[in-house]
């Protein structure tokens, strides 16, 4: 069959992927029974307020405090929802983190803490280690975001900068039991990596010294920040006895969301090929590689064949080379459009499932055979926009952005190439 409106079809698939990870759908089944003692709900991340809303729909009004991104709050009767800055922390995030730690100080062994954790918590939970200030944490986050380092490396460094990441938030809950419900936005769905693992200790992975990681990825840090990171204790080990009372469960992840899109596509007689849900790398490089694969498939299709859909998730990165407005998904889409060079059979979408690509209130973008012609007709230079990391400006000018507003969840990147067969 033919897809009459490829852009609408791809956008429908993206929205289905987001809906599959809605906390109202995935949280209730994983909530533990009420304890004999107190129940305290805590949380951090872009999805945490929606997760808190789901918890209260299950338990009724609860005591607790949750921090989410500005614009992502949800109505709760008992749980206090606080908004703070992301991806660079601010005083609101630092203040609520101090209050959160204070709330954990008088818990007993019969009490239960339910921690609602999702992507974005790394910035929203802000408690600098000794030797660092909030301003230092802001410098650190900006340097990490512009470095192009993979999320695992960024989180390793963040854990050394924090008094709550790397399992320390869970340790602060002792002697109460803590059950963490986690929505994954990282490749591999490792709970220790999501939001820099505030309630989860690190595994056995061997890491290079921090100074070597900073040098390898050319992360521009003042000397006093690096010295404070090296002096910090760092994350707790997974078998640290301070975490004996802690348990963590990933309740939603990119794989399920990609499967939701695949179900719709299969129902429309589209052949689905999964490229992976944990792909990492420079956005422009991954885009060129997947565009090449799409071109190869297009060349193999004959009239009457089923359309082919390439699906992938994970987390692209961008090394800042210019001063434009962009994010990993928009940059992926722009680089893919350039690589496809107006190929007549291929359409694509790249979006972040949280509705925010980079720091912009834009989920991502769609491309098609006419993308480059429309852009050049509008006086735009696609290659120049890519060189400046200016993909958001580029797609806004040709009305190809995908704007969802806050989706209230976060399972990271959603990418799809739709390859149509020849008509005859």
């Amino acid at each position: 069959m033919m897809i009459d409106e490829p852009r609408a079809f791809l956008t429908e698939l993206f929205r289905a992927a987001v809906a599959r990870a809605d906390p109202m759908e995935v949280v209730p089944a994983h909530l533990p029974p009420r304890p004999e003692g107190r129940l305290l709900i805590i949380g951090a991340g872009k999805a945490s307020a929606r997760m808190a809303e789901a918890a209260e729909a299950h338990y009724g009004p609860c005591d607790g405090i949750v921090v989410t991104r500005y614009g992502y709050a949800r109505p709760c009767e008992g749980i206090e929802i606080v908004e703070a800055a992301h991806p660079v922390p601010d005083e609101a995030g630092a203040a609520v983190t101090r209050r959160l730690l204070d709330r954990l100080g008088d818990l007993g062994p019969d009490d239960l803490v339910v921690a609602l954790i999702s992507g974005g918590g790394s910035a929203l939970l802000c408690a600098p280690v000794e030797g660092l200030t909030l301003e230092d944490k802001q410098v650190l986050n900006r340097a990490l975001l512009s470095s192009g380092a993979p999320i695992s490396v960024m989180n390793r460094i963040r854990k050394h900068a924090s008094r709550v990441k790397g399992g320390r938030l869970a340790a602060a809950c002792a002697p109460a039991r803590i059950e963490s419900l986690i929505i994954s936005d990282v490749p591999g769905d490792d709970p220790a990596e999501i939001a820099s693992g505030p309630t989860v200790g690190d595994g056995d992975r061997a890491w290079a010294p921090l100074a070597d990681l900073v040098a390898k990825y050319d992360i521009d840090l003042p000397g006093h920040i690096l010295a404070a990171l090296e002096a910090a204790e760092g994350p707790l080990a997974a078998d640290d006895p301070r975490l004996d009372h802690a348990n963590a469960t990933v309740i939603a992840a990119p794989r399920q969301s990609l499967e939701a899109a695949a179900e719709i596509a299969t129902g429309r007689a589209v052949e689905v090929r999964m490229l992976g849900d944990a792909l990492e790398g420079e956005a422009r490089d991954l885009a060129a590689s997947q565009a090449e694969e799409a071109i190869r498939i297009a060349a193999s299709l004959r009239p009457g064949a089923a359309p082919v859909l390439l699906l992938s998730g994970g987390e692209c990165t961008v090394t800042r080379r210019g001063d434009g407005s962009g994010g990993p998904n928009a940059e992926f889409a722009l680089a893919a459009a350039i690589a496809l060079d107006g190929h007549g059979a291929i359409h694509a979408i790249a979006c972040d499932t949280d509705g925010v690509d980079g720091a912009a209130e834009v989920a991502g973008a769609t491309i098609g055979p006419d993308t480059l012609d429309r852009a050049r007709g509008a006086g735009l230079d696609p290659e120049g926009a890519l060189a400046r990391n200016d993909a958001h400006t580029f797609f806004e000018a040709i009305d190809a952005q995908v704007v969802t507003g806050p989706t209230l969840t976060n399972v990271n990147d959603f990418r799809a190439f739709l390859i149509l067969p020849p008509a005859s």
Side-chain angles (χ1 to χ4, degrees):
M1 67 172 290
M2 295 298 293
I3 303 295
D4 294 331
E5 297 289 342
R7 179 177 179 179
F9 174 70
L10 290 170
T11 303
E12 179 187 0
L13 298 184
F14 169 62
R15 293 186 181 277
V18 171
R20 180 63 62 89
D22 183 349
M24 296 300 286
E25 300 297 324
V26 299
V27 166
H30 297 277
L31 290 167
R34 276 187 174 271
E36 293 183 9
R38 288 175 294 173
L39 171 65
L40 180 68
I41 306 292
I42 65 174
K46 297 175 188 175
S48 61
R50 180 71 161 174
M51 296 172 81
E53 183 181 20
E56 285 203 333
H58 178 81
Y59 288 127
C62 297
D63 183 26
I65 186 167
V66 162
V67 57
T68 192
R69 190 178 189 268
Y70 288 119
Y72 281 57
R74 296 296 296 168
C76 288
E77 294 185 59
I79 302 169
E80 180 184 0
I81 306 297
V82 178
E83 294 180 315
H86 178 277
V88 177
D90 66 357
E91 177 55 36
V96 71
T97 305
R98 291 192 294 268
R99 290 175 51 214
L100 179 57
L101 289 170
D102 288 343
R103 295 285 290 276
L104 305 179
D106 63 347
L107 295 171
D110 294 329
D111 299 332
L112 171 65
V113 177
V114 175
L116 307 173
I117 305 297
S118 64
S122 290
L124 296 165
L125 285 174
C126 180
V129 294
E130 184 176 353
L132 295 183
T133 65
L134 171 61
E135 291 73 20
D136 291 330
K137 287 291 293 289
Q138 291 169 335
V139 169
L140 173 62
N141 269 34
R142 291 190 182 100
L144 292 173
L145 291 168
S146 64
S147 68
I151 189 65
S152 58
V153 170
M154 288 196 279
N155 284 347
R156 185 67 182 182
I157 294 171
R158 287 167 173 156
K159 290 177 185 182
H160 280 264
S162 174
R163 293 186 291 111
V164 292
K165 298 178 177 66
R168 296 190 177 280
L169 185 63
C173 295
R177 180 167 61 96
I178 177 169
E179 293 283 342
S180 298
L181 306 186
I182 303 174
I183 293 179
S184 174
D185 71 328
V186 301
D189 307 325
D190 182 354
E193 295 297 334
I194 302 156
S196 298
T199 61
V200 181
D202 269 18
D204 297 329
R205 179 173 176 179
W207 283 95
L210 285 183
D212 292 351
L213 292 175
V214 168
K216 178 178 179 179
Y217 293 99
D218 196 23
I219 302 170
D220 185 16
L221 294 180
H224 77 280
I225 293 181
L226 182 56
L229 296 176
E230 292 181 316
E233 182 182 356
L236 304 183
D239 60 356
D240 191 297
R242 287 171 286 183
L243 301 177
D244 286 347
H245 62 294
N247 184 57
T249 304
V250 174
I251 62 172
R255 168 62 62 173
Q256 292 100 303
S257 288
L258 292 179
E259 288 171 351
E263 289 166 11
I264 291 176
T266 300
R268 310 262 180 96
V270 175
E271 179 189 343
V272 177
R273 302 185 190 181
M274 289 280 191
L275 299 180
D277 65 338
L279 303 186
E280 296 182 273
E282 191 75 22
R284 62 184 65 190
D285 296 337
L286 191 60
S289 173
Q290 292 193 4
E292 181 179 353
E293 175 67 5
I295 291 170
R296 185 192 66 77
I297 292 170
S300 71
L301 295 183
R302 297 293 178 259
V308 175
L309 184 74
L310 302 181
L311 284 176
S312 70
E315 182 163 32
C316 292
T317 53
V318 170
T319 301
R320 294 289 294 177
R321 298 170 173 87
D323 58 358
S325 171
N329 287 280
E331 182 145 319
F332 179 98
L334 177 54
I338 292 171
L340 292 170
D341 195 24
H343 194 293
I346 303 173
H347 302 255
I349 187 171
C351 291
D352 199 314
T353 54
D354 65 7
V356 178
D357 186 34
E361 305 298 320
V362 178
T366 59
I367 62 171
D370 63 344
T371 296
L372 297 186
D373 285 344
R374 290 170 56 208
R376 289 166 180 148
L380 302 176
D381 173 13
E383 290 80 7
L386 183 62
R388 297 190 305 276
N389 304 116
D390 203 21
H392 283 322
T393 303
F394 177 90
F395 286 114
E396 181 181 23
I398 61 172
D399 192 28
Q401 291 180 314
V402 178
V403 180
T404 62
T407 66
L408 308 176
T409 192
N410 184 14
V411 287
N412 228 317
D413 298 345
F414 175 90
R415 297 179 291 267
F417 284 81
L418 177 65
I419 306 149
L420 302 176
S424 63

